[in-house]
Every structure is written in C-alpha cells, then in structure tokens.
Amino acid sequence: MSRIIRTAIRVEGIVQGVGFRPFVYSLATGLGLGGLVGNDVDGVFVEVEGPPAAVREFLRSLEASAPPLARIERITATDMPPAGTAAFRIVASDQAGARRTLVAADTATCADCLRELSDPADRRFGYPFINCTNCGPRFTIVTDVPYDRPLTTMAGFTMCERCAAEYHDPADRRFHAQPVCCPACGPALTLVDASGKAIPARGEPLAAAAGLLREGRIVAVKGLGGYHLAADVSCERAVAALRARKHREDKPFAVLAADLAAARRLAEVDDTAASLLTSQARPIVLLPRLPGADVAEATAPGNRHLGIMLPYTPLHHLLVGALARPLVLTSGNVSDEPIAYDDADALTRLGPIADAFLSHDRAIHIRTDDSVARTFRGRPMLIRRSRGYVPEPVVVHAGFPRPVLACGAELKNTFCLAKEHHAFISQHVGDLENAQTLRSFTEGIEHFRRLFDIEPQVVAFDMHPEYLSTKYALELDDVDLRDVQHHHAHIASCLADNGADGPVIGVAFDGTGYGTDGTIWGGEFLIADYADFQRGGHLAPVPMPGGQAAIRQPWRMAAAYLDHACPGMPPDQLGIDVARRDPARWAAIVSMARQGVNSPLTSSAGRLFDSVAAILGFGGTVNYEGQAAIELEQLADPGERGAYHAAIDTAADSEADPAIDPAGPFRVHGGDLVRAAIADLLTGTPREIIAARFHNGIAALVEAGCLLLRDRHGLNTVALSGGVFQNMLLLRQAVSRLEARGFRVLVHSRVPCNDGGISLGQAVVAAARDRLD
Ligand SMILES: [Zn+2]
Ligand SMILES: [Zn+2]
Ligand SMILES: [Zn+2]
C-alpha cells in the first residue's frame, strides 16, 4: 500500500467571499484527497490527506488555479499525522474576529454569468442583477463585517428556494455568493421621472430606457457605485444638452462601448489597453481617439484622447446591447459635486438634467466613482484608483509598526488606513472644499476603520494648515500626529508603488503643495527616502498674482512670468485676450505681482505650464484642475524634437543649510522657457511647435537637475511623481532622457501620481518615522 500523508495548509489574502472554499473542495475531491476546508480569522484553513504526489499537485494548483477574485498573499503548509479520512468536507466558519479577512472590490460580470444572461433557457436570462462568487458587487454593498448577506444592502431580499439551494451547495458556482439573487427574489429595475413616478406607457424599463436614449434623451442610470448620466454618443444634440445641463463646459465625458471590437472603432487599443479594458476592475482607459470616430464633438472637445470603458454590470451589458451603439456614460452630478448614489438625492440633483431614471431597489452603500487609467510602456497607470480596485490593499513590505490613518490632500482626496503590511487606500473622495465631500471623507474613515478593524495610533496629514484633511487630523485625540510635506508624500508614494527603497532623487512636479518655508512648492527636486527628505533644487519662485485667482486664470501667471522673464515687453503682441482687450487690468496684475500684494511665491511647475498655455492663447478661466496644461499637451506636436533651455542657478542662497549641503538647493529658471516661447511666437513659429519645445524643455530641465544631484549625492535612481506627470508627452520625454543617462526611473502604476496618491505617501512616511523612534 502506498504511503499516505496529511498536510495542514493556511491561505492568507483575499480568500473569503470569492469562491475559495468550493474551489478547494473540487480541487481536493478531483485529486481523490480527503480532509477539510474552512474560513477563520486569518483566511482559509485546509487539511488534505492522500498520496504525496496528489498532495503536491494540490499545493501547486492551489496557487496556480485559484479563483479569479482571490488574492493570495501567503500559503504555508505543515505536515501532520494522517487521520484516516477519505472524504473531503467544508466545515463551519469560525466567525469570531472575522474582521481580519479582506473585503473584495466590485468585479465585472464574469463570462459564466454573461453566458446565462444571454441564454433564453436560463432562469436568469436578461436579469440585470445576475452575479456569482466570481463577480458582482462587493465593496459598494457591504455595510459592515463579517462579509455576509445580512451585512450587505442585499439584506432585505430573501433568497428564493432555488437561489438558497445554489447558495448552500459547495459544488455550485454561487456557493456563498452573498449577493446571489434571481428575478423571483432579487432587485428589480424601474424607469421613473424626476418626481420618482413610474413612466407609464413605456413598457419594460430597460427597453424603454434604450428607446429614450435612441430618441436623443438623457437617462440617469443607477450603477454600481453611483448614478451615471447616459446619452447616445453619436447624437450631437443629446451630448451637447448633457454638457449644458451638467454645467460641465470642457472636461471630457467617458464612453461605454459594448466590447473590445466596439472600442476599437473609436480609439487605438493596444495590448496593454485591451487587457486593462477587459480586466475585472474595468476602469475608464484614456486612449488615442481615431480620426473619424462616430462620436459627438461635445463628448471630448478639443481632446485627442477618449476615455473608454466596457460594461461591468449586467445592466450595462443589457443597456448597451439593446441600444446597439456606444453611450456617453458620465458621473451623475452637477459640475464638480460628488456623484449621486442615494436614490432620493439623485432624483433631486439630477432631476434638472435627466429625462428619465433607470433605477432599482438594491441600495448603494458606498459612493464609488469609476476608476481612470492610462497605459505607459506596457503597464497600467492609474489616474483615479476607485471602483474595481478599492478596497484591495497595497502591500507594503516594510510594514506599519503601528496602525496609521493618513488623511490625504485637499483635492482629489483619498485617505488611507494601514496596519501590518496592508495599506487600504480609500476610493476617490474628491475635492474636500465641498460639504458633501467632506462628509464622505469623515464617514468613509469610520467605515474603513470598522471594515478592516484598524484603530489608528498614528495620524499623518499634510503640512498645509488650511487643508480640511489637516484640520480633521488636528482635532483627533489620543493619537501621534505626523505632518508630512506634500512633495515628500508624492515621492514616498511612488517608492511604495514600486516597492522600492530610498534614498532616491525625487522629482515632484504638481500644481500646489505647502512647503516647509511657508511658500507654495510644486517644481521640486528632492533627495528623499521614506523617513525624510531634503530640498535638492526647485523652479525659481515667481509671484502668483491674486493667489487662488492665478490658478483659475492662467493669464495672471503669464503676466507674472512675462514681467519676470521679459521685463518691458509689450504684452499685446501675445495671444492673450486680456492683454489686448483690457491693458489696464493687465497692468494692475503686473504691478500686483511686482509689489507682492496678495501674490504668494510659488515654484509650481503647474503654474509654469499655465503661463505658457496662456501665452499660446488659452483664454479666460479654467473649468477643471490642470485644464490649461492638458490643452497645452493636446496642442503640442509630438514629432518636434527641439527643446527650450532653462538655466540652472547653483549659487548658494539663504536657504542653504551648510551642515547638510554646502551648495544648497539649485534654482531652475522656468522663465527662460517662457522667454524662448515668446521669441518663437513673435517670429511666427507655429503654436504646435512652441508647445512641443516647451514640453521638451521641461523634460530637459528634469534631466539636468537629476544629473546635478547625481554628481552631488551619488544617487542613480529617480522617482517621478506629482500631477504634472499625468502629461504623457512630458513623461515619455523625461523617462527616455533619464534612461539615456543611465538612471533607473520609477514611475507610478498602481497609485495615482496626482494627489490621489498622497495618502499612501503620508502613511509610509509616518511608518518609517515610527521605525526610527
Ligand atoms: Zn459571475
Ligand atoms: Zn432567487
Ligand atoms: Zn500634489
């Protein structure tokens, strides 16, 4: 008789609520192994008994063939004495302390469910809420832990007999799928008007909604993490009306395409983009738009890119299928408000926008926006990490000695709760200046604390005294407070994103961040590791005439830079409307800047982009953050190789701390780029070429600054972070220049380079300082 062994196996990670036990059950029984499997506080425990070869095969397949939603972080196996069991069984869960296990992210409808959805013989044929252990809502419906149906927004739906049988059968693909339901027992669609009344004489809600869209109407659609506003993408009138009613003047709308083939009729989709579009997370992916794509002009005015996503709920599949053409699918909000997710609130706020509401009775517990991504060199690059990714933790190998809450930044806020090796970054909260957003920030922190059982002992926050996230942190009792400089957080976030250690040369280029000297930073070269940083160099500061007003009106920055770079030059020769139409106003702004009246100094790279955008004709006021810079990127001719040169001033100044660095931080004269752009403009160089030379000039100054710091500090790794590096033209140029000089370059992938990544950076900085104490 052959030898029999028994092995105890522990599996940690996201292994509950993702079909892991049925998977183990069929794997073990398929190999003829006896034993047991169950859930406990730490994840899944397994014991298998049988011939050594079968046990080895079991261990191999456990990792290799795990269910798609599982995220295995660790498998440990120990031998134990055989017990003579030939049968395999699923044992009852130990619920005590189940909080340590992880809640999964919402996941796109799987292939098996899609097959049933389109099978007329299936009892869930055409049912918009079909799901299974491998797909469906998770994070957005969980009200508390442990993750179990009564603690989800499915609590009010009692399973019918057939659903209950599937739910309790270990061999069924819906075994313990908490949101399992069917037309007999689950949520149902409704089509209502803004007063919440059913729209009569329209028939079945989904077909009726598709009919309205086909007529060029706007329909609010309740999705996974909130309401969207939908319109036929090829209908100029509908998309323009949507833009006008939403008070969203320029920011591009996302498009929902039925599948990859449909996406390829609208934009260039390479392999990386294709796998991102079809991934379980289904982010909006920004792709180069095809000339002649059948898309209304108002969808993404003046933009060479199109944000495309594929359906991620059965409802999306059915809707886009019924319409047989792509839809604009943009967040259900007015202007910059948070996306609506509560039914009553949606009716109130979206009533003036939508002609009808395609809604249902499964509540959304947590507002979660769509994620947004780009691709860079075969890797995804998340710009907004939200639905589909959250709350999956970012694993931080160095770990967190004590539980940390990081409060994040003011704009594009996320917060982060971290303990042991897990950083749980929140969904995109938004800009905290809005009262409703601030409430989702504070409520979100409480929800995450319960969900992941984290009682923070350390609280990290931005140094900016006026950030609402900072004020929140300062009001907390019985915690150790750690302030983290904004750009240090950016670089630490990039290090953690890459699992890298410092020290590195960190280039943090963004719009605004509070500096240790009280001025506004944003064009920073840092020498940084997790615990600490020093300022190695920066853009030479210029005044921001009018403070916040200079952010909204890029021409003010043009005035400041022009006065700085080309004093005495008559501004009316530039493409700046204000300078021509209202010379008195221009002169007033220049004198404001000169005298330093309400003109804080800034080294911001974002403001340098703004000034050149204004000089090349960006008029008026920006409607969303970074708009002028984004339009400048769109304008630039990617084929142009010329680059403007900015001088670097290495003379010591008052900032120098001789104990650290006798030379002190260098200053890069961004004004040189402005002067060169103006010179080209006045000799009739096309604006596309000027925009490109400016971008190349920024990349060149990044390269020059890093070379200087390599000489001074002997460091060969560069981390690029900050919102300015969302600019792909700049990112490509900067990375290739640095690599050509032999640098190792770290860029973001899993966590945004913009302020959405700040909370992770703050958390890892706080942890590193904890380790030093
Ligand atoms: Zn499924
Ligand atoms: Zn049912
Ligand atoms: Zn920033």
Side-chain angles (χ1 to χ4, degrees), residues 466-633:
E466 293 305 317
Y467 278 8
L468 293 174
S469 52
T470 301
K471 292 181 174 171
Y472 171 88
L474 293 175
E475 278 174 18
L476 297 174
D477 295 322
D478 302 324
V479 290
D480 287 342
L481 294 170
R482 306 271 196 192
D483 60 349
V484 180
Q485 199 279 325
H486 188 90
H487 303 95
H488 183 207
H490 271 307
I491 299 304
S493 173
C494 185
L495 291 178
D497 194 344
N498 287 279
D501 288 319
V504 294
I505 299 169
V507 183
F509 279 13
D510 66 358
T512 300
Y514 195 78
T516 51
D517 58 1
T519 69
I520 299 164
W521 294 7
E524 308 307 309
F525 293 82
L526 309 180
I527 303 299
D529 59 16
Y530 285 113
D532 207 358
F533 78 98
Q534 79 183 74
R535 203 178 187 197
H538 54 85
L539 288 176
V542 291
M544 273 167 75
Q548 285 294 314
I551 298 175
R552 290 190 299 272
Q553 299 173 340
W555 66 267
R556 288 173 180 252
M557 284 316 299
Y561 261 110
L562 192 66
D563 188 52
H564 187 77
C566 315
M569 203 203 115
D572 57 353
Q573 298 180 30
L574 306 174
I576 304 172
D577 276 356
V578 181
R580 271 183 296 212
R581 267 186 301 122
D582 197 345
R585 188 152 181 232
W586 178 273
I589 292 302
V590 168
S591 105
M592 191 177 188
R594 270 190 206 162
Q595 291 162 28
V597 179
N598 188 18
S599 298
L601 288 177
T602 186
S603 57
S604 163
R607 299 293 85 77
L608 178 56
F609 271 85
D610 283 355
S611 71
V612 173
I615 284 163
L616 294 185
F618 182 93
T621 302
V622 297
N623 291 311
Y624 59 93
E625 195 202 0
Q627 183 186 357
I630 288 167
E631 294 190 7
L632 190 64
E633 179 189 1

Side-chain angles (χ1 to χ4, degrees), residues 518-768:
T519 69
I520 299 164
W521 294 7
E524 308 307 309
F525 293 82
L526 309 180
I527 303 299
D529 59 16
Y530 285 113
D532 207 358
F533 78 98
Q534 79 183 74
R535 203 178 187 197
H538 54 85
L539 288 176
V542 291
M544 273 167 75
Q548 285 294 314
I551 298 175
R552 290 190 299 272
Q553 299 173 340
W555 66 267
R556 288 173 180 252
M557 284 316 299
Y561 261 110
L562 192 66
D563 188 52
H564 187 77
C566 315
M569 203 203 115
D572 57 353
Q573 298 180 30
L574 306 174
I576 304 172
D577 276 356
V578 181
R580 271 183 296 212
R581 267 186 301 122
D582 197 345
R585 188 152 181 232
W586 178 273
I589 292 302
V590 168
S591 105
M592 191 177 188
R594 270 190 206 162
Q595 291 162 28
V597 179
N598 188 18
S599 298
L601 288 177
T602 186
S603 57
S604 163
R607 299 293 85 77
L608 178 56
F609 271 85
D610 283 355
S611 71
V612 173
I615 284 163
L616 294 185
F618 182 93
T621 302
V622 297
N623 291 311
Y624 59 93
E625 195 202 0
Q627 183 186 357
I630 288 167
E631 294 190 7
L632 190 64
E633 179 189 1
Q634 299 301 320
L635 176 68
D637 177 351
E640 169 63 24
R641 287 288 159 263
Y644 298 142
H645 174 75
I648 296 187
D649 182 356
T650 55
D653 73 359
S654 55
E655 287 178 76
D657 180 347
I660 304 168
D661 185 348
F666 60 75
R667 288 167 303 284
V668 186
H669 289 285
D672 291 353
L673 304 184
V674 177
R675 188 164 43 234
I678 290 170
D680 265 354
L681 190 68
L682 295 180
T683 56
T685 309
R687 296 184 317 138
E688 292 76 8
I689 300 293
I690 298 175
R693 289 178 181 167
F694 170 73
H695 276 80
N696 300 344
I698 296 280
L701 74 80
V702 168
E703 175 194 358
C706 291
L707 285 172
L708 218 156
L709 291 176
R710 177 159 71 184
D711 284 349
R712 286 186 182 178
H713 300 271
L715 297 170
N716 204 44
T717 302
V718 176
L720 301 178
S721 191
V724 167
F725 287 107
Q726 288 172 139
N727 183 319
M728 299 309 277
L729 182 59
L730 171 65
L731 185 67
R732 268 195 299 272
Q733 293 282 336
V735 172
S736 29
R737 278 172 181 268
L738 289 167
E739 285 180 348
R741 295 290 193 164
F743 284 104
R744 173 180 176 231
V745 187
L746 306 175
V747 299
H748 281 271
S749 172
R750 300 180 293 166
V751 176
C753 65
N754 60 46
D755 283 5
I758 285 287
S759 62
L760 175 66
Q762 292 172 344
V764 292
V765 168

Side-chain angles (χ1 to χ4, degrees), residues 142-435:
V142 172
T143 54
D144 208 340
V145 279
Y147 172 59
D148 215 349
R149 187 161 175 125
L151 296 177
T152 70
T153 61
M154 286 298 290
F157 298 95
T158 310
M159 273 183 248
C160 69
E161 265 179 46
R162 295 174 79 180
C163 287
E166 291 168 337
Y167 179 88
H168 291 294
D169 176 5
D172 194 275
R173 65 184 199 84
R174 293 197 167 86
F175 177 66
H176 281 199
Q178 304 305 343
V180 67
C181 59
C182 74
C185 67
L189 286 181
T190 50
L191 187 69
V192 298
D193 63 20
S195 67
K197 283 205 220 36
I199 298 181
R202 278 278 176 180
E204 196 267 318
L206 193 116
L212 287 171
L213 289 165
R214 212 172 285 121
E215 289 168 17
R217 309 287 195 91
I218 296 166
V219 179
V221 181
K222 186 174 178 182
L224 210 44
Y227 277 79
H228 283 110
L229 291 159
D232 177 350
V233 75
S234 56
C235 178
E236 203 67 64
R237 181 173 51 86
V239 182
L242 176 56
R243 201 166 270 293
R245 294 186 206 167
K246 233 174 102 75
H247 301 295
R248 177 149 150 173
E249 280 140 49
D250 307 295
K251 203 172 177 181
F253 288 147
V255 175
L256 177 73
D259 49 27
L260 266 186
R264 289 198 158 111
R265 285 192 285 275
L266 301 174
E268 281 172 40
V269 183
D270 66 15
D271 290 350
T272 314
S275 63
L276 199 51
L277 279 169
T278 54
S279 67
Q280 292 157 0
R282 302 267 158 135
I284 296 167
V285 185
L286 302 182
L287 297 164
R289 169 185 188 161
L290 290 179
D294 187 12
V295 169
E297 185 47 42
T299 307
N303 204 303
R304 294 183 194 179
H305 291 83
L306 208 51
I308 297 183
M309 64 180 145
L310 300 187
Y312 53 87
T313 68
L315 178 57
H316 292 149
H317 281 284
L318 294 167
L319 189 61
V320 84
L323 197 73
R325 65 181 84 141
L327 283 172
V328 159
L329 200 64
T330 184
S331 20
N333 56 9
V334 182
S335 193
D336 287 331
E337 287 175 0
I339 183 172
Y341 70 104
D342 170 81
D343 297 333
D345 176 55
L347 289 176
T348 315
R349 287 205 281 140
L350 308 182
I353 305 176
D355 297 308
F357 288 76
L358 183 60
S359 187
H360 57 75
D361 49 353
R362 185 182 71 202
I364 299 168
H365 187 67
I366 290 290
R367 166 171 76 82
T368 312
D369 295 76
D370 290 317
S371 294
V372 183
R374 285 182 177 276
T375 63
F376 180 67
R377 292 186 162 194
R379 283 211 302 173
M381 198 175 106
L382 283 177
I383 291 171
R384 184 164 74 200
R385 183 184 186 274
S386 206
R387 194 251 323 135
Y389 294 95
V390 174
E392 251 183 54
V394 171
V395 175
V396 174
H397 292 289
F400 298 88
R402 291 188 292 166
V404 180
L405 164 66
C407 298
E410 178 86 343
L411 299 179
K412 296 186 168 70
N413 177 276
T414 63
F415 58 84
C416 173
L417 273 153
K419 71 171 180 185
E420 291 157 18
H421 294 275
H422 289 147
F424 298 94
I425 306 170
S426 75
Q427 72 279 22
H428 168 78
V429 175
D431 299 346
L432 291 186
E433 65 227 348
N434 177 302

Side-chain angles (χ1 to χ4, degrees), residues 110 113 131-132 135 173:
C110 73
C113 286
N131 66 80
C132 72
C135 75
R173 65 184 199 84

Side-chain angles (χ1 to χ4, degrees), residues 9-15 20 42-45 59 62-63 71-77 100 102 395 397 420-422:
I9 301 154
R10 171 149 291 293
V11 190
E12 291 168 72
I14 300 179
V15 289
F20 209 83
D42 297 314
V44 167
F45 60 89
L59 278 168
L62 192 62
E63 184 145 22
R71 294 282 178 278
I72 296 178
E73 287 177 4
R74 187 156 48 180
I75 297 181
T76 43
R100 287 191 53 183
L102 308 178
V395 175
H397 292 289
E420 291 157 18
H421 294 275
H422 289 147

